[in-house]
Amino acid sequence: MNERRWSAVDAYFTKTIVKQDAALEAALAANATAGLPQIDVSPPHGKLLHLLARMAGTRKALEIGALGGYSTIWIARALPQDGRLVTLEASETHAAVARRNIARASLSDKVEVRVAPALESLPKIEAEGLAPFDFVFIDADKEQTAEYFAWAVKLAAPGAAIVVDNVIRDGRVAHAKDRDARVRGIRRFLEAVAAEPRVTATTLQTVGSKGYDGFTLAVVGR
Ligand code: DHB
Ligand code: MG
């Protein structure tokens, strides 16, 4: 098995059942044109986020790490008419691209893009009474994933789903002595999950157009 085959299978499912539309395709094209790193979730993964958000009955969603807003669009499309999504982005450049992509998808009325380091925005979101959130997607700098997870639990509604991207990293997550700061950040996050009595969780390894990686899904108790 190799990455070319994984990508071909992702392309097959994207065309057949994921049904990525023009606004999502345009978002990926705009991100590439703007020179953003091509680390958006894959189309099948985006569709999974959409389906999980629907299954969680999401009215309010929080995303930590917008990049160009590709996953934002998938999640926002799971929201009801009066639903709301707040997405946090540290880079002004990325946020500007995300806002244009979100506007092209006609989602600007539901989505707010906040530009600041997430650990500055999260206390403000709490103070403004924007919580509780039914669905949280964490996909930002991996070093601080444990802190983002703690905030996600704090701001979560009973029964909320929390999804965390990039927890496998070519399998390096299983190497306790790995020196990479991102791998260590993810391991620190997973230790926090294990020690957190308010959530129950699992991790799925994935292959596809984004290589070998995976995500953690945690559900908050009722
Ligand atoms: C990286 C970050 C991501 O969110 C991702 O999906 C893939 C890679 C990274 O920082 O390397
Ligand atoms: Mg990611």
Side-chain angles (χ1 to χ4, degrees):
M1 294 297 272
N2 56 44
E3 297 217 20
R4 262 186 42 218
R5 191 184 298 195
W6 302 340
S7 290
V9 171
D10 260 0
Y12 167 69
F13 282 105
T14 298
K15 202 169 59 190
T16 52
I17 68 168
V18 169
K19 299 186 195 294
Q20 167 163 263
D21 70 359
L24 287 162
E25 276 172 19
L28 291 180
N31 293 355
T33 301
L36 268 52
Q38 313 255 296
I39 54 173
D40 320 85
V41 297
S42 69
H45 191 175
K47 183 74 173 279
L48 176 69
L49 295 172
H50 170 84
L51 295 172
L52 289 170
R54 277 173 59 169
M55 289 166 71
T58 304
R59 304 189 75 81
K60 291 198 282 184
L62 173 66
E63 181 177 61
I64 302 177
L67 190 62
Y70 178 76
S71 53
T72 317
I73 293 170
W74 275 115
I75 298 164
R77 285 180 171 174
L79 301 171
Q81 196 89 63
D82 61 346
R84 281 282 172 277
L85 188 160
V86 183
T87 184
L88 311 182
E89 176 52 52
S91 155
E92 180 65 69
T93 315
H94 295 179
V97 176
R99 286 195 185 106
R100 281 197 296 277
N101 287 333
I102 290 159
R104 197 187 296 104
S106 306
L107 289 165
S108 302
D109 53 336
K110 285 183 179 162
V111 178
E112 180 195 348
V113 183
R114 286 207 182 190
V115 187
L119 292 178
E120 289 175 17
S121 292
L122 288 160
K124 292 182 184 158
I125 283 169
E126 182 184 36
E128 289 168 33
L130 295 175
F133 296 97
D134 311 294
F135 185 84
V136 184
F137 180 48
I138 300 174
D139 191 12
D141 58 300
K142 310 311 167 192
E143 291 86 342
Q144 299 188 100
T145 301
E147 284 72 30
Y148 302 147
F149 174 70
W151 272 104
V153 174
K154 191 172 189 184
L155 301 180
I162 302 170
V163 180
V164 181
D165 196 26
N166 312 118
V167 301
I168 300 297
R169 312 210 61 106
D170 279 314
R172 290 174 66 173
V173 70
H175 297 160
K177 296 197 170 116
D178 200 302
R179 303 309 300 170
D180 184 89
R182 292 167 299 182
V183 173
R184 294 173 72 86
I186 291 297
R187 286 182 62 93
R188 196 162 61 79
F189 151 68
L190 291 165
E191 285 159 21
V193 173
E196 174 52 75
R198 288 170 288 181
V199 307
T200 183
T202 189
T203 292
L204 260 291
Q205 305 184 63
T206 58
V207 295
S209 56
K210 302 293 170 170
Y212 169 36
D213 212 325
F215 63 91
T216 293
L217 170 63
V219 172
V220 179
R222 288 188 187 277

